[in-house]
Amino acid sequence: MPSIHDAKYQAMIKRLELARKACGYTQECVAEKLEKPQSYVSKIENCERRLDVLELKRFLEVYALKSSDIFDD
């Protein structure tokens, strides 16, 4: 199973972070929308915590993105 150290995973997370910033959201704002602590968003963006599929879906909804917007072909 790929880990958080996988280059493709890290690139996907970086695109999520860029999407957050493009929306003008802080980590605190996103955490509030997800009903999570700010540290949750920080740990994901710093690749200290791995996202599962359902968590990723929630981030995509918050950022109004499709999965194709963040995945490398």
Side-chain angles (χ1 to χ4, degrees), residues 7-21 44-47 63 70:
K8 288 187 177 192
Y9 179 81
Q10 290 180 356
M12 179 200 67
I13 294 300
K14 185 64 178 175
R15 285 189 287 278
L16 272 182
E17 180 182 2
L18 293 173
R20 173 181 61 78
K21 291 176 179 178
I44 289 169
E45 288 186 359
N46 289 315
C47 291
Y63 302 150
I70 62 156

Side-chain angles (χ1 to χ4, degrees), residues 26-32 36-44 46:
T26 63
Q27 288 182 348
E28 293 84 4
C29 175
V30 173
E32 187 175 307
K36 300 282 187 179
Q38 177 273 330
S39 61
Y40 169 82
V41 178
S42 176
K43 287 179 181 180
I44 289 169
N46 289 315

